[in-house]
Amino acid sequence: MDKRQILLITKDAHSFLLKALIKSLNGGGFDVVPINPNAEEIMYLKRNDNLPPIFIVYLEDYEDKYDTLFPCLEKLVSEPNITRHLYLVGNSIEISAAYKFIPKNLVAYAFERPVNSMEMIKQIQLLSAGYSYEYTPENLVKSEHLDPKKHTLLLVDDDSTYLKAMERWFTKEFNVFAVNSGMNAVSLLKRRTVELILLDYEMPVLSGLEVFQIMRSEPSTAHIPIIFLTSKDDKKTVMEVLQAGPDAYLLKTKPPAILVQNIKDFFAEKEKKNANNAEENAALEGDGEEKAEYKSDLPSSDLPKSDIPASDIPQSDLPKDE
């Protein structure tokens, strides 16, 4: 199926608003295939290999279809080894109702009516061009080309311009994966291994905090250090960021060279900490009975609670009280 085709799921494709939307999407280079909000009709297209990879659900007065429609769409967008994107269009109440039937992280974007058709086209074009699920500019390192001597980062930011800039800054020193949404980050981590995540705190659909909580709740990702990126340095925002419990946070307004050096220092400090812990463990194992006595005398407050010391949080990023 042509990746430029869109399945428009709507109750009335002949209404004035829908005709205008279809015309705009056509002008953006997309072929639109209207279909009723019927799970059986959608699966019929799949069985006949005629299912477009992009779904736009135009939410209207058909809530009675949600309990069959959205489980069907969830299955399709979650299918392994196939990339499909799901969008919602509706008012805030309709969108909230839809999220009761499909996980929020499976929705690429939710557009509130009245729809800005140019913004919609821009978002869909980014996905179609590869800036999603695995954001891949020409020089983005692929897993088969990872340099074993370099640490591997995952960059997560919904601002495609800033994301591309970060990719350029970090590629010289690190292996880099980059994605433009929290949903795509979760998807990528199912297939890739990284050593550090730089996560934008302010993102639509799935916020940086929500992505952080998902990663911390999953055994496969709970151990990965996460540094929040934020453009805000007011005390309220910084306290909210720190209360979430990331390994550190960095301001986007820092010069690129300083950001890169911060990450190099982060890994250097982590490696130093791990080396010291390894030496201490080796010494304890060789002490025989003294090991047991030493351990019994060791205050619990001295035990390392994290591989990442508080000093790794850049103090220059913390707001100063006036």
Side-chain angles (χ1 to χ4, degrees), residues 225-256:
I226 297 176
I227 294 178
F228 274 132
L229 298 171
T230 178
S231 58
K232 299 179 180 179
D233 62 355
D234 61 280
K235 189 170 184 177
K236 181 177 181 294
T237 299
V238 171
M239 294 308 296
E240 288 177 352
V241 170
L242 294 180
Q243 285 174 2
D247 295 274
Y249 87 97
L250 293 172
L251 287 176
K252 291 183 177 182
T253 52
K254 279 192 170 190

Side-chain angles (χ1 to χ4, degrees), residues 9-12 35-42 57-74 97-98 100-102:
I9 302 168
T10 176
K11 187 177 180 181
D12 183 13
I35 193 170
N36 291 319
N38 186 298
E40 292 183 3
E41 292 184 25
I42 295 171
V57 182
Y58 198 90
L59 302 169
E60 325 176 80
D61 185 22
Y62 55 83
E63 288 85 353
D64 58 314
K65 303 287 186 180
Y66 285 8
D67 60 346
T68 55
L69 173 65
F70 284 110
C72 169
L73 296 176
E74 178 178 351
K100 295 178 182 179
F101 294 87
I102 190 165

Side-chain angles (χ1 to χ4, degrees), residues 87 109 111 118-127:
Y87 294 90
Y109 203 89
F111 298 94
M118 295 307 297
E119 176 64 20
M120 174 180 282
I121 291 169
K122 177 183 176 181
Q123 290 284 344
I124 298 174
Q125 285 176 335
L126 281 173
L127 291 172

